[in-house]
Structure formats: C-alpha cells, structure tokens
Amino acid sequence: MDDFTVTPYTVEGDVDYDRLLDQFGADRLTDEQLQNFPHPTHRLLRRRVFYAGRDVDRFTAAAARGETVSVVTGRGPSGPMHLGHVYPFYFAKYLQDELGAYVYIPLSDDEKYFSKDLTFDEIHEYTRQNVRDILAVGFDPERTRLVVDTADADVVYPVAAELAKELTPAAVEATYGTPPNVGLGFYPAVQATHLLLPQLVHGRHPTLVPIAVDQDPHVRVCRDIAAKQRHDVEKPAALLSRFLPRLGGGGGKMSTSDDAPGILLSDDRETVREKVQRHAYSGGRDDVDAHREHGGDPTVDVAYQLLAYFFEESDETLDRLAADYRSGELLSGELKAYAADRIADFLEGHQRRRPEGPIADVVEPYRLTEAERARVRPDVFGGESDRE
C-alpha cells in the first residue's frame, strides 16, 4: 500500500519516484536520451531532476532537424512564487535559447478559484506578481506567450468546450477523483487547451511539457483527448521532474504552507541565510566531534540537495562538497552557509531582472497577437454574407 500521495492538488508523504513511474506509466530517461538534448546538457537533466518522460525522443529529433518545437509550462497563481516554482521556467528558457522553441506559459487563475479559498481579486493580484517573476527569467518576447484563462477566455474557452466533449465524467474521476465542483470537473479540458495551444497557433509540431511529476495527470488526459481530435495535432510529450526538496526534509516538495518555510523569490540574502540555517534538514552528526569522525550524508542533507538540484552549476564543485561532507571536513553549518549564498546570488540576479512599470505594459509584448487569436478562435459572425 502506498504511504504517499501525489495528485495535481495534493502531495503528501515521502515520495517514491520509482513507484510513481509504475503508477503513471511513464518511462525513465536514459543516458542516450539525455545526449539528444543541446550540449552542454542542462544540470536539471544531467543530475536527473527531470528523470522521466513520454515521447521525449520525438521532441528532440524534431529539434535536431531544425523543425518547429514548443514548450508549455505554467503556473497556478495562488500565492507568491518560491524556489520550487521557478526552475521549470529557467529550463524552458534553456530550450528556447538552444532550440528556438516557442514557450507558452498558461496561468490558470480559474483553476485556483475552483480549488482554493481565494477570491478572484486575490488570485489576480498573485497573477500580476507571478507574471513579473516569470518574465524575470528572460524569455524572448517574440517567441513567448503568456495566457491567462479569464483574460484570454475568447481563445481558451472555445477550444476547451470542443475538447470537453471528448472527456467523460468517468474519465475525470478515474484520473483526479470526484471533483468538488463542476468548475474543477471542467478544468481538465482547459488544461488540455493549454497544452495544445502552440500547435493550434503555429501548426502541428512536437510540444514538450516540462513539469513536476504531480502534474502528469493533466498531460495524460490531454494525450487521450488529442488522439480523438479532428485538429491536426500531436500528443504533447512530457518531461517529469522530482520536487525541489522542502527545507524540513522528508521527501515532499517545497511549500509556503509547511512548518519549515519555503524560500520566496522575493527573499533577501539575510532571509535566505536565516531560513536555511534554521530550517534546512541536516545530514550531519549531532555534534562537531562526531561529524569530524564519521562525516555526514549529503543524500539526505537539504542544503546539499538544493545545490544539486539547481543552485550549483559546477559538477566538480558539487562532487567536492559531497566528498568533504562525507569525510567530516565540511561541517553542516558551513555547507548551509555555502548553499544559502548560492541561492541568494541566484535570487539577487532574478530580482534585478524583475520588470517594473504598469503590468499592462510589462505583459503586452508576451500576449497573443490578434492574428494568433484569429487562428484559434472561431468567428461566429464572420465568413457568411448577411441575408435579407
């Protein structure tokens, strides 16, 4: 019996990523598949943070031929963003930079209204804050589109309505459980729209969805719908990641609602140091003498894991830190201090790039153009002459 839960709405317990692959039916990434990504291979790939997928080879083969490819990875705007939210966006930027990929970023404000005890006013304020953080990543405005469900309902809803006809209540319940309201029951059709939108705008091509593993049900449902559609679309491919560890350890994912706080993208250096020193689970010994004699375990040490996931670029440095920690030469407090500084360095760069000014001006270059909208949405009153 499973002692953990992983759904799009709940992650509990110590996650067994191998057992999840059996449950979800995804394939572990091979060394050969990783070699097909642009070089140097991104650290999220070579360190197996992204560890499994579906139809990844189709995406990389098309990219190698110089064909059109796209990436979809989104955000549910229900609060301020923390470190666990942002690394898929930096990975998407890597694919855009290396492959010229289109990047589509849906913000599911409606889904958060259906699933959280929040008003739309609260959700939209988080949406505006989240957009500034997403754009701080540095996406190319010519090849990046932000799509907000309620703001872009003229595009999203007609497609979702069409896709919803291919989705039965039984299929929704089998994948997600019984939805608490009809809005959340309809949302899988909206999510499928997000994942197919680049193809509806730019024509049939491979799309890759790099997401945390808990979001895989959305991809599975979309792939089933895409197979039934009259539109000339391919099933989206998926690249599934492990969760960025929560500071308190225990195999779950970072969250702002944990007893151990998440590290927010707005945190300053001193706040990061305080959170890491006070809350990061240590793989070290109880006292200095014991640590010097027996060493620590970097595989469970959260400060080390944060470095390994994203915040230390150099593999050589990472290996040295692990060796020094195991030998007892590097103390837990020293490892935490090093990790806190690397995270703070990253955040200071991110915060400098965070766009200022009126949000309408900030987001305008990244919105769907009228020509792009016209390719997707039906014109109810166009294409037919008036009759007397």
Side-chain angles (χ1 to χ4, degrees):
M1 183 175 180
D2 292 336
D3 53 2
F4 63 91
T5 300
V6 175
T7 77
Y9 305 110
T10 303
V11 177
E12 296 176 344
D14 191 349
V15 178
D16 185 324
Y17 290 100
D18 290 327
R19 285 163 63 189
L20 270 185
L21 294 191
D22 292 336
Q23 291 177 17
F24 290 174
D27 299 317
R28 182 176 291 278
L29 291 178
T30 66
D31 291 341
E32 182 180 357
Q33 286 176 312
L34 295 184
Q35 288 299 312
N36 292 330
F37 281 89
H39 287 225
T41 309
H42 197 282
R43 58 191 178 279
L44 289 169
L45 288 168
R46 65 178 187 265
R47 295 176 188 164
R48 297 303 204 277
V49 178
F50 284 109
Y51 78 111
R54 305 173 188 278
D55 281 346
V56 172
D57 293 338
R58 189 156 42 85
F59 175 86
T60 54
R65 295 191 295 267
E67 298 173 2
T68 298
V69 293
S70 63
V71 177
V72 180
T73 194
R75 167 73 183 136
S78 60
M81 292 178 69
H82 59 63
L83 295 181
H85 296 138
V86 77
Y87 69 88
F89 294 108
Y90 278 91
F91 182 75
K93 182 181 185 300
Y94 150 80
L95 294 175
Q96 184 174 76
D97 290 345
E98 297 295 329
L99 304 177
Y102 291 104
V103 174
Y104 275 61
I105 303 170
L107 289 101
S108 53
D109 58 340
D110 53 345
E111 184 252 356
K112 292 307 173 188
Y113 181 75
F114 300 142
S115 62
K116 300 285 187 179
D117 186 20
L118 295 169
T119 67
F120 263 125
D121 285 345
E122 292 170 321
I123 292 168
H124 289 158
E125 178 55 33
Y126 287 133
T127 300
R128 291 185 284 269
Q129 295 175 17
N130 291 178
V131 163
R132 293 185 192 275
D133 275 316
I134 290 168
L135 296 185
V137 174
F139 292 107
D140 176 4
E142 295 298 319
R143 306 186 73 81
T144 306
R145 293 294 177 261
L146 296 173
V147 178
V148 180
D149 286 346
T150 60
D152 295 300
D154 60 321
V155 173
V156 172
Y157 179 76
V159 178
E162 184 175 345
L163 301 184
K165 195 171 183 179
E166 307 293 347
L167 190 59
T168 66
V172 172
E173 291 188 20
T175 304
Y176 300 96
T178 304
N181 53 61
V182 294
L184 212 56
F186 181 76
Y187 180 71
V190 177
Q191 178 68 59
T193 301
H194 296 162
L195 303 187
L196 297 179
L197 192 56
Q199 295 189 69
L200 300 179
V201 174
H202 303 287
R204 180 179 178 134
H205 65 265
T207 296
L208 182 68
V209 186
I211 47 172
V213 67
D214 59 330
Q215 300 301 302
D216 182 59
H218 294 317
V219 179
R220 299 202 308 270
V221 168
C222 180
R223 286 168 59 85
D224 289 344
I225 292 174
K228 305 173 185 176
Q229 268 302 296
R230 63 175 177 80
H231 294 294
D232 187 17
V233 294
E234 294 191 11
K235 296 180 180 180
L239 198 59
L240 307 179
S241 82
R242 305 172 191 272
F243 301 120
L244 191 73
R246 57 189 178 197
L247 288 183
K253 67 175 181 177
M254 184 172 286
S255 171
T256 55
S257 61
D258 280 348
D259 292 337
I263 298 175
L264 302 179
L265 300 187
S266 57
D267 283 347
D268 60 23
R269 184 173 293 269
E270 288 306 311
T271 301
V272 172
R273 285 173 175 167
E274 190 274 335
K275 286 183 177 180
V276 172
Q277 289 289 354
R278 176 176 295 187
H279 297 286
Y281 182 83
S282 172
R285 304 290 174 169
D286 291 337
D287 61 71
V288 172
D289 290 340
H291 187 91
R292 292 293 192 198
E293 180 178 357
H294 301 290
D297 183 359
T299 66
V300 299
D301 190 282
V302 169
Y304 180 83
Q305 292 304 311
L306 291 173
L307 291 168
Y309 268 58
F310 191 71
F311 297 100
E312 176 54 62
E313 173 63 36
S314 168
D315 293 343
E316 292 76 15
T317 298
L318 199 62
D319 290 343
R320 175 179 56 79
L321 290 170
D324 289 350
Y325 199 54
R326 289 190 179 99
S327 73
E329 180 180 346
L330 181 66
L331 299 177
S332 293
E334 294 170 333
L335 181 57
K336 286 184 176 184
Y338 182 87
D341 280 341
R342 296 289 75 74
I343 293 169
D345 290 344
F346 165 81
L347 288 179
E348 287 177 353
H350 180 90
Q351 290 161 10
R352 284 194 298 270
R353 295 189 299 272
R354 201 171 187 269
E356 303 290 341
I359 191 63
D361 295 341
V362 167
V363 77
E364 182 60 31
Y366 301 90
R367 299 201 69 191
L368 290 164
T369 66
E370 190 54 44
E372 291 165 345
R373 292 171 183 274
R375 291 174 204 156
V376 180
R377 68 187 180 198
D379 185 351
V380 176
F381 298 109
E384 183 177 352
S385 60
D386 290 338
R387 297 175 181 174
E388 296 182 0

